[in-house]
Amino acid sequence: MKIGIVGLGLIGGCLGLDLRQAGHTVIGVSRRQSTCEAAIEKGAVEAASMSLDSLKMTEVVIVCTPINALLPTVEALAQVLPPETVITDVGSVKDAIVTTATRSWPNFVGGHPMAGKAESGIDAAELGLFEGRPYVITPLPETKPTAVDKVVDIATTLEAQIQFADPATHDKAVAWISHLPVMISASLIQACVQESDSTVKVLAQTLASSGFRDTSRVGGGNPELGVMMAQNNREALLLGLKNYRQVLDQLTQVIETEDWEHLSTLLTATQSGRVDFV
Ligand code: NAP
């Protein structure tokens, strides 16, 4: 297959490496010339430029730009591609993207390969990132089955685990397991930073170890990503935060009233509940 990738960063670069290794022809487009050159050098694409016109002859175009550039990119592609080309994206939110993109391009299929790294950009791209990881495909009722099949072919090539979901259900699920954890982890760091007793704070900073490292990791990451998650998955994230606050209130009350039996019941339920998620 001749495949186009727009946005030659971490995800676009990883896709290019895997798809080329599987024998597909991959043409890249990115915003900066230096990124295009780095992607060619790395072997993620056969050719790359800053012009979407170079993708006219591709069968599928995978849009891998930051979330806020996904829709403008689909709109720009709609001006240059022949109507039979399938456009898909890799954005980590779907509801805000899929309906509008499908209006601009009936051959659009939403997708979300759920794999990543702490680093971003083409330099961080590597082979095999998606192997064994979920690849969520989010068609609408009107999405053409032939277009979905093309994305299934790509996910299969990556040896990813294909999951189907409607865009809103996808967003609610990732709010729970990805976006809410970022906000909770950020709140934890914020609460610690606000400790007013400097002796306690400095000692806590000195003693912080694996437990704090694990629980603070996702809240201490790239602020831009957190803002994009909140902007683009606002409703589902707010619902998650409200439910989470109820659980926190319940925990607070149980500890205030020294209801240790109830606390034990709650923690036993969370101990077994976690197993179903990880
Ligand atoms: P990234 O490493 O920052 O790569 C994005 C690339 O897009 C940048 O390198 C930039 O290249 C290029 N770009 C920016 N604006 C552009 C535009 N208007 N037109 C063309 N290229 C443009 O980010 P990423 O982690 O790969 O994330 C990309 C997408 O993947 C996002 O939509 C994200 O939601 C999704 N995603 C990310 C992860 C993850 O864990 N990282 C996982 C799953 C899905 P230049 O250097 O040319 O500016």
Side-chain angles (χ1 to χ4, degrees), residues 15-91:
L15 284 171
L17 288 171
D18 282 351
L19 294 171
R20 283 197 73 202
Q21 174 157 282
H24 296 294
T25 302
V26 180
I27 310 296
V29 170
S30 212
R31 197 175 41 172
R32 289 181 297 164
Q33 182 59 29
S34 56
T35 303
C36 295
E37 284 160 17
I40 296 169
E41 174 116 336
K42 191 149 186 149
V45 290
E46 256 92 346
S49 73
M50 296 185 297
S51 165
L52 294 176
D53 285 341
S54 62
L55 305 179
K56 274 181 180 160
M57 304 299 285
T58 56
E59 278 175 64
V60 179
V61 175
I62 312 173
V63 184
C64 304
T65 63
I67 293 176
N68 290 345
L70 290 171
L71 283 175
T73 303
V74 172
E75 273 157 32
L77 283 165
Q79 307 303 312
V80 296
L81 295 180
E84 62 275 13
T85 313
V86 171
I87 304 179
T88 184
D89 76 315
V90 297

Side-chain angles (χ1 to χ4, degrees), residues 213-242:
R213 191 176 303 121
D214 290 348
T215 48
S216 66
R217 184 176 62 80
V218 294
N222 183 346
E224 273 173 39
L225 276 183
V227 173
M228 275 193 223
M229 286 171 181
Q231 282 176 330
N232 292 282
N233 200 12
R234 184 173 165 272
E235 297 301 320
L237 179 58
L238 280 175
L239 190 68
L241 280 168
K242 282 175 190 154

Side-chain angles (χ1 to χ4, degrees), residues 42-251:
K42 191 149 186 149
V45 290
E46 256 92 346
S49 73
M50 296 185 297
S51 165
L52 294 176
D53 285 341
S54 62
L55 305 179
K56 274 181 180 160
M57 304 299 285
T58 56
E59 278 175 64
V60 179
V61 175
I62 312 173
V63 184
C64 304
T65 63
I67 293 176
N68 290 345
L70 290 171
L71 283 175
T73 303
V74 172
E75 273 157 32
L77 283 165
Q79 307 303 312
V80 296
L81 295 180
E84 62 275 13
T85 313
V86 171
I87 304 179
T88 184
D89 76 315
V90 297
S92 46
V93 296
K94 299 270 57 98
D95 209 19
I97 307 293
V98 176
T99 311
T100 310
T102 304
R103 241 180 264 134
S104 311
W105 196 255
N107 250 342
F108 181 86
V109 184
H112 180 197
M114 296 192 64
K117 288 170 74 174
E119 302 91 351
S120 59
I122 185 68
D123 291 343
E126 62 183 40
L127 276 167
L129 186 78
F130 308 104
E131 191 182 327
R133 308 285 311 180
Y135 197 121
V136 192
I137 301 175
T138 61
L140 297 173
E142 66 266 35
T143 308
K144 293 178 191 167
T146 48
V148 176
D149 289 347
K150 285 265 193 304
V151 182
V152 168
D153 284 351
I154 286 171
T156 305
T157 301
L158 301 170
E159 297 182 40
Q161 289 179 13
I162 298 169
Q163 304 278 337
F164 287 96
D166 70 83
T169 305
H170 165 278
D171 287 0
K172 286 179 191 157
V174 297
W176 281 123
I177 52 92
S178 176
H179 303 166
L180 182 62
V182 169
M183 299 306 156
I184 292 170
S185 173
S187 315
L188 169 70
I189 300 169
Q190 181 68 2
C192 293
V193 166
Q194 283 172 357
E195 167 59 59
S196 55
D197 183 329
S198 62
T199 310
V200 172
K201 190 164 151 182
V202 169
L203 185 61
Q205 287 167 341
T206 309
L207 299 180
S209 184
S210 55
F212 189 79
R213 191 176 303 121
D214 290 348
T215 48
S216 66
R217 184 176 62 80
V218 294
N222 183 346
E224 273 173 39
L225 276 183
V227 173
M228 275 193 223
M229 286 171 181
Q231 282 176 330
N232 292 282
N233 200 12
R234 184 173 165 272
E235 297 301 320
L237 179 58
L238 280 175
L239 190 68
L241 280 168
K242 282 175 190 154
N243 283 308
Y244 180 67
R245 185 156 57 196
Q246 281 172 12
V247 176
L248 265 188
D249 287 345
Q250 186 189 21
L251 271 174

